[in-house]
């Protein structure tokens, strides 16, 4: 099972030879040195040298990172080209990494932790390696807490507890750490045992051995791993060869493997001396244990391949090794009665484990412990060198371009100012022309709708009743119908074209002003132009406009005197005749001579006035007294004859009766609507100019507001240009200092990389 190659002899031959040489009663030979026939120098010294060297390198790296962080923090700004903020975050991340690496490297020892179930012999294994019975041992649950054995430059061993720096006697360990003691420490507590280095070759090279309670005595394995295992370099699983590898042990090392990447694990199948009592099954049991151990290390944990895993599994008896070494140190022969048959092979196996253990540390510990850190150090130095080189190149390039950029921005500022002035005049003229066009279109459309008002009123279909209360409701609904219909028709006639024209004008304004703005503001300009959310509002307010409408739906005979006079003379003439006064103010007769034509007109006017007076007198007589009517009837009868009068009277009466019978609700509704159309048309004509002006004003406000926002953005761009010019002036003065400092730091990163390469060549490649 060992990875050590013994010269000239096999392990069994060496065991037989030792028995023959030493006699049947003793075994005074130091079995740890039988592998090569002489005491080999400890290969662990390389670890101490490598640790010192890499600590010095990482101390320089830490100082370099701090210097780089302070430098980048000082030059941090909003300048996107330098990307200083990203660089600072990267350096800060490396700063945290180096702090963690330095904390690990600062340890002055390599840590080996022994784990296993209760009574598997962990403490006995450590005692055997120390050649002294230091740790408490016995049947049952013995070790109650963690015991760390480390080398010290002292002549007498002592112990330290976590809560005290006082040196205590080594005898106190049985009182403090024994599970049967009255003093009960927490099972995750740690007691440090300082053991003289000259008594153990492992401890001379700053290796510490940590004993643990049984992993089956507490479910809180995670806290053990966090507190005692994260900084461990080697794990030794002490299993009981009398049973087999248990799930408790597997579960613990699965947790360890999850926290640590491929930990170094050795498996000691302790108490293999029990196989002497059943020699016929020894090979089969050993093969069974070996297969399960290899499967656990290689297949389940995946920490090592099967070929190399065979060098990590050993079958030993820690009790026999301890007995042998205690007698060997005392110079007394080992009583063979205390050892089982075949003990020589088990002693050699234990010595082989120790040698293989040291070789594992010497060949892999430096590599596994320092290679990753050196690679990280190279990555950090490479990243920082790239950062400094990028900062240097960009700062140099910016410094060369800033003056040119300043001139370009100054030219752009002047150009923007001139173009804005020209565009303002041009766009204002365009808005004025569009406003006039809108006013004309709305005016024409409204006049057309007024001419078609009768059709809109005829579309109104509500129950009509001549009662005054019902008429008020009817008129209110008719006002709303006319207002909605006119608004709808005006929108149909005008809105689509108006909105399209407004959008086109907005698009034109945007495109014209977009050329004056930098790229980062173009998106903002696009957002200023709402898409299709503007509507022209046609506020006609027919309810108030036609509020003075008074309908006249009383029956009027079409051949009545009043109707005839109104028909022939018109409304004004009818009022003059029927009411007895005229709206016309008489003008005085001119005193100057008249021309013949003027005289003729004057005579005609006088004749008209005489005729009007006669008719007025006649109508007055006929309308004010029955006597007048009789007189007129008599005169007509005398002239035409009574038969004609009778026929005419009959026809006249029949016409009256017909018209009276046909004067229904429907006729009254038609008369009402006709009167409403006449009244509303006259009122609407009065607000044509006002409505068209209101619509054009809305369009003007929308376009002017849009143009104002665009101009504001141009002013913002001008202000930003001026600020950028000032910023460029300041940056030019800073960039020279940045160039010099970044160049120094870039060269320093190269020096650190060469130091790490030297470390790798000296300690890692030679050890491969």
């Amino acid at each position: 099972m060992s990875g050590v190659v013994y010269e000239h002899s096999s392990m069994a031959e060496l065991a037989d030879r030792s028995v023959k040489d030493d006699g049947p009663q003793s075994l005074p030979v130091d079995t740890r040195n039988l592998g090569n026939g002489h005491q080999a120098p400890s290969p662990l010294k390389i670890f101490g040298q490598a640790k010192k060297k890499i600590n010095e390198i990482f101390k320089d790296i830490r100082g370099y990172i701090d210097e780089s962080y302070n430098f980048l923090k000082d030059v941090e700004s909003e300048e996107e080209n330098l990307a200083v903020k990203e660089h600072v975050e990267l350096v800060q991340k490396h700063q945290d990494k180096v702090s963690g690496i330095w904390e690990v490297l600062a340890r002055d020892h390599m840590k080996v932790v022994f784990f296993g179930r209760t009574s598997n012999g962990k403490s006995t294994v450590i005692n055997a390696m120390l050649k002294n019975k230091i740790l408490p041992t016995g049947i049952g649950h013995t070790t109650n807490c963690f015991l760390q054995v480390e080398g010290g430059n002292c002549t007498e061993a002592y112990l330290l507890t976590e809560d005290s720096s006082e040196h205590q006697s080594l005898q106190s360990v049985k009182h403090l750490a024994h599970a049967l003691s009255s003093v009960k420490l927490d099972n995750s507590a740690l007691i440090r045992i300082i053991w003289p280095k000259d008594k153990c070759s492992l401890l001379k090279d700053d290796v510490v051995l940590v004993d643990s309670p049984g992993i089956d005595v507490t479910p809180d394995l995670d806290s053990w791993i966090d507190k005692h295992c994260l900084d461990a370099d080697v794990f030794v699983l002490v299993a009981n060869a009398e049973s087999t590898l248990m799930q408790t042990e597997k579960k613990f090392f699965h947790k360890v493997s999850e926290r640590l990447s491929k930990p170094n694990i050795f498996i000691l199948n302790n108490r293999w001396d029990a196989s002497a009592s059943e020699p016929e099954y020894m090979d089969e049991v050993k093969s069974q244990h070996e297969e399960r151990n290899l499967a656990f290390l290689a297949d389940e944990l995946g920490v090592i391949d099967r070929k190399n895993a065979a060098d990590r599994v050993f079958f030993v008896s820690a009790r026999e090794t301890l007995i042998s070494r205690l007698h060997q140190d005392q110079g007394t022969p080992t009583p063979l009665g205390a050892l089982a048959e075949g003990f020589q092979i088990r002693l050699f196996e234990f010595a082989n484990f120790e040698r293989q253990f040291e070789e594992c540390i010497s060949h892999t510990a430096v590599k596994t412990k320092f290679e990753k850190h050196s690679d990280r150090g190279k990555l950090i130095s490479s990243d920082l060198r790239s950062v400094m080189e990028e900062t240097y190149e960009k700062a140099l390039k910016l410094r060369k371009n800033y003056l040119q950029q300043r001139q370009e921005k100054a030219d752009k500022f002047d150009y923007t100012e001139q173009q804005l002035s020209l565009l303002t005049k041009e766009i204002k003229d365009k808005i004025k022309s569009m406003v006039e066009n809108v006013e004309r279109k709305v005016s024409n459309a409204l006049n057309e709708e007024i001419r078609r008002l009768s059709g809109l009123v005829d579309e109104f279909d509500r129950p009509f009743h001549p009662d005054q209360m019902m008429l008020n409701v009817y008129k209110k609904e008719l006002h709303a119908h006319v207002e909605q219909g006119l608004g709808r028709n005006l929108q149909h006639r005008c809105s689509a074209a108006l909105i399209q024209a407004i959008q086109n004008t907005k698009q034109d304004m945007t495109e014209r002003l977009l050329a004056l703005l930098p790229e980062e503001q173009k998106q903002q300009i696009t957002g200023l132009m709402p898409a299709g959310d503007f509507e022209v509002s046609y506020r006609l307010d027919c309810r108030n406009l036609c509020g003075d409408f008074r309908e006249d739906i009383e029956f009027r005979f079409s051949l009545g005197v009043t109707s005839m006079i109104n028909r022939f003379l018109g409304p004004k003439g009818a009022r003059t005749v029927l009411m007895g006064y005229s709206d016309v103010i008489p003008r005085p007769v001119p005193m100057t001579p008249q021309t013949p034509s003027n005289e003729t007109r004057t005579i005609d006017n006088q004749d008209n006035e005489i005729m009007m007076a006669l008719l007025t007198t006649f109508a007055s007589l006929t309308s004010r007294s029955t006597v007048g009517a009789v007189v007129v009837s008599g005169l007509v009868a005398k002239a035409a004859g009574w038969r004609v009068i009778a026929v005419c009277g009959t026809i006249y009466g029949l016409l009256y009766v017909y018209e009276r019978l046909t004067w229904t609700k429907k006729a009254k509704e038609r008369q009402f609507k006709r009167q409403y159309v006449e009244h509303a048309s006259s009122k609407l004509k009065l607000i044509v100019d006002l409505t068209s002006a209101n619509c054009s004003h809305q369009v003007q406000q929308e376009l002017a507001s849009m143009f104002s926002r665009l101009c504001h953005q141009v002013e913002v761009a001008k202000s930003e240009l001026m600020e950028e010019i000032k910023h460029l002036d300041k940056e030019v003065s800073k960039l020279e200092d940045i160039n010099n400092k970044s160049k120094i730091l870039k060269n320093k990163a190269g020096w650190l990389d060469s130091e790490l390469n030297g470390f790798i060549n000296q300690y890692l490649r030679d050890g491969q």
Side-chain angles (χ1 to χ4, degrees):
M1 298 303 300
S2 171
V4 179
V5 179
Y6 295 98
E7 299 177 357
H8 309 299
S9 302
S10 66
M11 185 180 296
E13 291 173 344
L14 288 172
D16 293 339
R17 186 183 304 166
S18 67
V19 174
K20 294 176 182 178
D21 293 342
D22 296 335
Q25 300 298 324
S26 65
L27 189 65
V29 183
D30 185 358
T31 56
R32 293 188 67 242
N33 302 323
L34 290 177
N36 291 318
H38 58 83
Q39 176 68 42
S42 174
L44 300 179
K45 294 186 180 297
I46 299 175
F47 173 79
Q49 298 169 359
K51 181 183 68 175
K52 181 179 179 181
K53 179 63 176 178
I54 201 169
N55 265 300
E56 293 174 353
I57 294 175
F58 269 93
K59 182 178 180 181
D60 293 336
I61 291 176
R62 176 58 186 268
Y64 172 65
I65 290 178
D66 291 341
E67 186 178 3
S68 301
Y69 177 79
N70 293 332
F71 164 69
L72 293 176
K73 196 69 176 176
D74 289 339
V75 300
E76 185 178 11
S77 65
E78 297 180 358
E79 180 58 57
E80 295 181 0
N81 291 331
L82 286 177
V84 176
K85 184 177 181 181
E86 296 179 2
H87 294 167
V88 170
E89 291 176 352
L90 177 63
V91 173
Q92 191 172 21
K93 188 181 297 182
H94 285 321
Q95 196 174 35
D96 296 337
K97 287 183 180 178
V98 170
S99 297
I101 293 172
W102 204 10
E103 183 178 347
V104 173
L105 292 175
R107 296 206 319 265
D108 59 353
H109 55 257
M110 291 190 67
K111 189 174 183 180
V112 183
V113 186
F114 292 78
F115 282 101
R117 290 183 292 117
T118 303
S119 296
N120 278 9
K122 300 180 294 296
S123 301
T124 305
V125 170
I126 296 175
N127 286 338
M129 296 176 73
L130 298 176
K131 300 181 183 180
N132 206 321
K133 194 172 182 180
I134 301 172
L135 305 183
T137 58
I139 62 173
H141 178 200
T142 306
T143 304
N144 190 50
C145 62
F146 282 83
L147 300 174
Q148 177 172 300
V149 182
E150 57 187 271
N153 297 319
C154 56
T155 57
E156 294 294 334
Y158 60 91
L159 62 86
L160 297 171
T161 59
E162 289 182 316
D163 56 355
S164 175
S165 59
E166 181 182 357
H167 292 194
Q168 300 185 38
S169 171
L170 188 60
Q171 301 301 321
S172 302
V173 69
K174 296 181 180 180
H175 178 66
L176 295 173
H178 203 290
L180 300 178
S181 173
S182 59
V183 178
K184 299 297 182 183
L185 295 178
D186 187 84
N187 55 26
S188 64
L190 178 68
I191 296 178
R192 296 172 57 200
I193 299 174
I194 312 302
W195 187 256
K197 289 184 177 181
D198 56 0
K199 292 185 179 182
C200 181
S201 60
L202 284 176
L203 302 184
K204 288 180 181 179
D205 296 303
D206 296 324
V207 178
V208 299
L209 307 176
V210 180
D211 189 16
S212 65
I215 57 177
D216 52 348
V217 300
T218 177
D220 194 14
L221 299 178
D222 290 330
S223 64
W224 282 14
I225 296 172
D226 292 337
K227 187 172 182 180
H228 300 289
C229 299
L230 294 182
D231 60 343
D233 300 296
V234 174
F235 295 87
V236 178
L237 171 59
V238 180
N240 188 353
E242 296 182 81
S243 59
T244 187
L245 202 59
M246 297 295 183
Q247 288 298 325
T248 304
E249 297 159 324
K250 291 184 177 182
K251 178 181 177 182
F252 174 79
F253 279 98
H254 273 296
K255 289 180 176 289
V256 171
S257 183
E258 290 173 1
R259 304 287 183 88
L260 300 176
S261 177
K262 293 188 176 181
N264 290 317
I265 301 175
F266 285 83
I267 298 179
L268 289 184
N269 291 282
N270 192 26
R271 298 185 178 176
W272 187 237
D273 54 328
S275 63
S277 62
E278 298 180 359
E280 67 275 13
Y281 298 112
M282 181 172 25
D283 293 337
E284 289 82 355
V285 173
K286 185 175 182 180
S287 297
Q288 183 187 67
H289 286 338
E290 182 179 17
E291 176 58 29
R292 292 182 179 180
N293 292 164
L294 295 180
F296 175 61
L297 291 176
D299 301 336
E300 290 190 39
L301 294 182
V303 298
I304 194 170
D305 56 42
R306 273 187 169 266
K307 180 179 179 181
N308 294 319
D311 296 334
R312 300 294 179 90
V313 179
F314 299 90
F315 292 82
V316 300
S317 172
R319 181 186 64 84
E320 290 180 337
T321 304
L322 178 60
I323 293 172
S324 174
R325 289 182 176 179
L326 287 176
H327 284 280
Q328 180 180 327
D329 285 348
Q330 295 170 5
T332 60
T334 304
L336 295 181
L339 306 177
E341 183 179 352
F343 68 90
Q344 299 93 342
I345 297 177
R346 291 187 290 275
L347 294 181
F348 276 110
E349 184 80 348
F350 196 95
N352 195 24
F353 155 68
E354 291 178 311
R355 186 62 185 178
Q356 182 69 14
F357 176 77
E358 288 188 9
E359 288 188 358
C360 175
I361 295 175
S362 64
H363 292 119
T364 63
V366 172
K367 185 178 179 65
T368 57
K369 187 173 183 66
F370 300 139
E371 184 178 41
K372 180 171 63 176
H373 298 323
S374 60
D375 290 341
R376 287 182 178 177
K378 286 179 64 65
L379 177 62
I380 291 171
S381 64
S382 177
D383 286 345
L384 292 182
R385 182 169 56 187
S386 298
V387 167
M388 295 307 161
E389 185 173 0
E390 184 179 352
T391 303
Y392 173 80
E393 294 295 336
K394 288 185 176 181
L396 183 62
K397 184 178 179 180
L398 284 175
R399 185 174 177 272
K400 292 179 180 179
N401 293 337
Y402 272 169
L403 291 176
Q404 180 180 354
Q405 290 182 20
R406 187 191 183 284
Q407 185 61 42
E408 291 175 355
K409 292 183 182 298
D411 293 341
K412 185 174 180 62
F413 181 87
D414 294 338
Y415 173 79
T416 302
E417 201 167 31
Q418 293 173 3
Q419 289 298 311
L420 181 62
S421 178
L422 295 175
L423 287 175
T424 299
K425 183 179 184 304
E426 183 179 345
I427 292 175
K428 283 184 177 180
D429 292 340
K430 189 171 184 178
I431 291 175
K432 180 180 178 182
S433 175
M434 185 173 180
V435 166
E436 292 174 352
N437 185 41
V438 169
E439 186 172 359
R440 183 171 59 257
K441 285 185 177 180
V442 173
S443 177
N444 293 337
L446 185 55
N447 283 323
E448 179 66 22
E449 290 300 320
I450 291 173
R451 287 192 291 271
R452 299 174 57 188
L453 185 61
S454 60
L456 181 62
V457 173
D458 289 340
E459 293 175 0
F460 183 71
D461 187 15
R462 294 288 188 279
F464 180 84
H465 197 280
D467 181 70
Q468 189 60 44
M469 183 176 297
M470 299 295 291
L471 278 177
N472 290 337
V473 175
Y474 187 84
K475 284 192 286 185
K476 182 177 180 181
E477 294 179 353
L478 181 59
H479 293 330
H481 171 75
V482 171
E483 183 173 345
Q484 293 176 0
L486 287 175
R488 183 175 60 252
N489 293 341
L490 286 176
Q491 283 186 344
H492 179 72
R493 286 174 174 270
C494 304
S495 291
L498 290 180
I499 291 174
Q500 185 61 44
I502 291 172
Q503 293 291 37
N504 292 338
T505 304
K506 286 182 177 180
Q507 185 67 30
D508 182 62
M509 285 191 295
T510 301
E511 291 176 354
R512 300 288 295 277
L513 291 174
L514 195 65
L516 303 179
L517 298 176
E519 289 295 330
E520 57 268 18
Q521 283 189 277
K522 289 183 179 180
Q523 187 65 33
Q524 300 178 11
I525 290 297
T526 304
L528 290 174
M529 187 178 67
D533 61 346
F534 173 73
E535 290 286 346
V536 179
S537 176
Y538 306 94
R539 297 184 59 83
L540 299 175
D541 196 10
C542 290
R543 180 176 180 181
N544 292 326
L545 189 65
C546 300
D548 59 343
F549 169 67
R550 297 293 181 268
E551 71 283 351
D552 182 9
I553 56 175
E554 295 296 330
F555 176 73
R556 296 282 189 277
F557 183 44
S558 60
L559 297 179
V561 176
T562 302
S563 298
M564 296 295 290
I565 293 174
N566 189 49
R567 184 176 302 164
F568 288 107
L569 299 181
K572 292 184 179 180
R575 282 197 300 271
T576 301
V577 171
L578 297 175
M579 303 302 296
Y581 63 87
S582 175
D583 293 338
V584 179
I585 300 176
R587 293 178 295 176
V589 179
M591 300 302 293
T592 57
Q594 302 289 331
T595 61
S597 60
N598 290 336
E599 289 178 358
T600 304
R601 292 194 199 97
T602 303
I603 293 172
D604 292 339
N605 291 334
Q606 290 177 353
D607 293 340
N608 291 333
E609 290 177 0
I610 293 172
M611 180 61 67
M612 181 65 67
L614 291 174
L615 289 173
T616 301
T617 303
F618 174 78
S620 177
L621 291 174
T622 55
S623 62
R624 294 178 185 177
S625 66
T626 307
V627 176
V630 173
V631 171
V632 172
S633 299
L635 292 174
V636 173
K638 186 176 180 180
W642 289 106
R643 287 186 178 180
V644 174
I645 293 174
V647 172
C648 291
T650 301
I651 294 172
Y652 187 86
L654 290 174
L655 290 173
Y656 177 84
V657 171
Y658 172 76
E659 289 189 8
R660 193 74 176 91
L661 291 176
T662 57
W663 189 248
T664 61
K665 283 185 181 182
K666 204 65 177 177
K668 292 179 181 180
E669 183 179 7
R670 288 194 298 270
Q671 179 69 8
F672 178 90
K673 289 184 176 180
R674 183 184 62 77
Q675 294 175 5
Y676 183 84
V677 168
E678 292 177 356
H679 182 81
S681 297
S682 63
K683 292 294 185 179
L684 288 172
K685 288 178 181 178
L686 298 177
I687 64 167
V688 170
D689 294 339
L690 179 63
T691 303
S692 59
N694 179 42
C695 293
S696 64
H697 180 70
Q698 294 177 45
V699 174
Q700 183 181 21
Q701 286 292 100
E702 177 68 14
L703 294 177
S705 175
M706 178 69 179
F707 182 66
S708 176
R709 292 195 295 269
L710 292 172
C711 289
H712 174 70
Q713 291 299 316
V714 176
E715 292 296 332
V716 170
K718 288 170 57 180
S719 300
E720 290 179 354
L721 279 174
M722 185 57 65
E723 290 298 324
E724 288 176 3
I725 291 172
K726 294 178 180 178
H727 175 71
L728 289 173
D729 291 337
K730 293 179 181 178
E731 289 298 319
V732 169
S733 62
K734 295 179 182 178
L735 287 174
E736 187 172 358
D737 293 336
I738 295 175
N739 283 334
N740 294 334
K741 186 66 174 177
S742 59
K743 186 175 182 180
I744 293 172
L745 291 173
K746 181 182 69 171
N747 294 335
K748 192 170 184 178
W751 174 77
L752 289 172
D753 189 67
S754 65
E755 288 289 301
L756 287 167
N757 286 332
F759 175 82
I760 293 172
N761 291 331
Q762 182 178 358
Y763 294 103
L764 298 179
R765 290 182 181 173
D766 293 339
Q768 290 178 348

